[in-house]
Amino acid sequence: VRGRPRGPALGVGAQPRPRRGRRRRHRERQHRRVRARLRHHRRPREEGPQDPPVGRPLDGLFIVSRILVKALGEGKVPAAVDGAWMELMLSPYDYGKDALHDADTRALMGKITFTHGGPEYDAKYPDGIPTAIDISLKGGKKISSGMVMYPSGHARNTSADLKRILQHKNRMLGDIVFADRSQVDGFVSKLVGMKSLPASEVGGVYSFDWSAVRQHDCIDG
């Protein structure tokens, strides 16, 4: 061990301090570097004209804004909540290079803020996910959703048709991979029915025809 020992010098009957191995010293150095990087990342940075304010949850801002961009592009309000989940569902393209730099998305991000609901909301978690959305219009009118405890996808939600929503999601993602919808449905059906497959077929549950894969440009540019 390099450096001077800490504490009094070793005398008769004293127990020597165990030496730290090279791997342990390396891990400690790595941890110090990580902590230093985390402290650096928490510092406020100078904002650019297109950047959302520091301290906002960027992932939430981006996701909500992309959904709103999609809704504005549709030009209509979905007839039901399940329809909204499917019609406005984000695809990998909504997280690609073009989406990240989309001017409309960034403009909407600047109009959204997240605030703590307070003790009333804290008391209801983790039983549910207490959330509310308030929309303030230019004329001063406010539209509020009220508190939502069990949104679609939550284990306690009983109103959403999760199987139908999941089927839509699987097809949306599968259509990016396969050129033929029948290939998508065939691949997914094996996963859905996995619990009833014999052991001899489980090993090939992820097998598919590579020649049926769709060719397209990389989403991330």
Side-chain angles (χ1 to χ4, degrees), residues 68-79:
L68 289 174
V69 166
K70 213 161 196 175
L72 292 170
E74 291 286 337
K76 61 183 179 67
V77 178

Side-chain angles (χ1 to χ4, degrees), residues 61-185:
L61 285 173
F62 180 78
I63 291 171
V64 172
S65 298
R66 285 304 295 173
I67 292 174
L68 289 174
V69 166
K70 213 161 196 175
L72 292 170
E74 291 286 337
K76 61 183 179 67
V77 178
V81 175
D82 285 359
W85 271 95
M86 291 183 286
E87 293 174 30
L88 305 179
M89 185 177 290
L90 300 184
S91 80
Y93 286 98
D94 288 294
Y95 299 91
K97 176 177 65 68
D98 294 337
L100 291 174
H101 295 278
D102 179 67
D104 292 336
T105 302
R106 287 178 171 255
L108 285 168
M109 290 175 71
K111 299 177 183 292
I112 301 172
T113 57
F114 284 75
T115 58
H116 179 215
E120 179 187 5
Y121 283 68
D122 291 342
K124 297 181 182 300
Y125 181 85
D127 176 68
I129 308 176
T131 309
I133 296 178
D134 296 325
I135 302 174
S136 299
L137 305 181
K138 288 183 177 179
K141 182 180 178 180
K142 180 180 289 187
I143 302 173
S144 180
S145 67
M147 183 185 290
V148 177
M149 280 287 289
Y150 311 123
S152 299
H154 192 280
R156 293 181 184 271
N157 179 283
T158 58
S159 60
D161 188 348
L162 295 182
K163 289 185 177 180
R164 183 164 166 248
I165 295 173
L166 185 59
Q167 181 189 51
H168 175 84
K169 182 176 184 177
N170 287 332
R171 284 181 167 177
M172 178 191 70
L173 296 175
D175 286 342
I176 298 175
V177 178
F178 296 107
D180 188 347
R181 173 61 66 80
S182 63
Q183 291 283 341
V184 177
D185 291 343

